Amino acid sequence: MFISRRTLWPIFTTFISQSHACNQQFDCVKQTVRGHGVKGLYRGLSSLLYGSIPKASVRFGMFEFLSNKMRDESGKLDSTRGLICGLGAGVAEAVVVVCPMETVKVKFIHDQTSANPKYRGFFHGVREIVRTQGLKGTYQGLTATVLKQGSNQAIRFYVMTALRNWYKGDNPQKTINPFLTGVFGAVAGAASVFGNTPLDVIKTRMQGLEAHKYKSTVDCAIKIMKYEGAAAFYKGTVPRLGRVCMDVAIVFIIYEEVVKVLNKVWKTD
């Protein structure tokens, strides 16, 4: 099949710009450590925990609930059912936690980088958004968020379930060590990055301070394609890949080890 130079050029230029972005990120790390020490890399940790803990709780809680309902007679969960359970988990975390947290975070970041910031702090920003726009103001881009988180977790749990079943083969009692769980998690994270970065780009646009420019999620996607081209949907893929792979690997290791401990101390029929 012939692929024209015009088709490949936007993809090539995107990856060149992303490689440049990676170099900038490494330089940012060096500058931060030099100016503020290693402690400077952990600024904003409390705000991250506020969102990450409830998000993981809803995600894995819903996945466990759904997977327990969908296992076969032998207790096995196939990859297709793992995808469905992951989809349900992603939709749940999007509605309950991710959409309001991400909307506030994106608006706060955009406000702080503007010429005249309105918000004096994170919690002041939340109060101002609710005061001026109501609770609806914290749920901007809900459709895009549901699509993004739903597809995200569907891909990750599908890959994790498939890899886990492949490794165990005909022996469902075969244990998986934490290192291998981390490798499987990193692969699942990479798959989700390539699979839904366009939805992440749309979601971020829909939750920013300039979200009023878009009539809907579909309108946002059309305008990005029309004015910026297909490559714009994959902005930040390479930097995001490094972060997400490590993030998903660590989260799945913790999840699997916690489940092992709970199964030992909290036996159910």
Side-chain angles (χ1 to χ4, degrees), residues 23-35 37 41:
N23 291 332
Q24 288 180 324
Q25 283 197 333
F26 286 125
D27 182 63
C28 179
V29 171
K30 288 193 295 184
Q31 295 289 344
T32 301
V33 173
R34 187 179 302 159
L41 297 174

Side-chain angles (χ1 to χ4, degrees), residues 38-54 101 105 108 122-123 247 250:
V38 176
K39 186 179 178 181
L41 297 174
Y42 288 88
R43 285 181 170 182
L45 178 61
S46 58
S47 298
L48 185 62
L49 290 175
Y50 295 152
S52 296
I53 293 175
M101 288 297 296
K105 183 186 77 173
F108 183 74
F122 183 80
F123 291 105
D247 176 17
I250 293 171

Side-chain angles (χ1 to χ4, degrees), residues 44-101:
L45 178 61
S46 58
S47 298
L48 185 62
L49 290 175
Y50 295 152
S52 296
I53 293 175
K55 179 168 69 173
S57 299
V58 172
R59 176 194 310 163
F60 288 107
M62 180 58 73
F63 179 81
E64 282 295 312
F65 173 78
L66 294 174
S67 63
N68 286 335
K69 301 287 185 182
M70 299 187 70
R71 294 181 189 276
D72 60 22
E73 296 79 6
S74 63
K76 184 178 179 181
L77 183 73
D78 62 37
S79 54
T80 302
R81 293 181 180 182
L83 183 147
I84 296 171
C85 294
L87 178 63
V91 171
E93 71 173 3
V95 175
V96 178
V97 181
V98 177
C99 189
M101 288 297 296

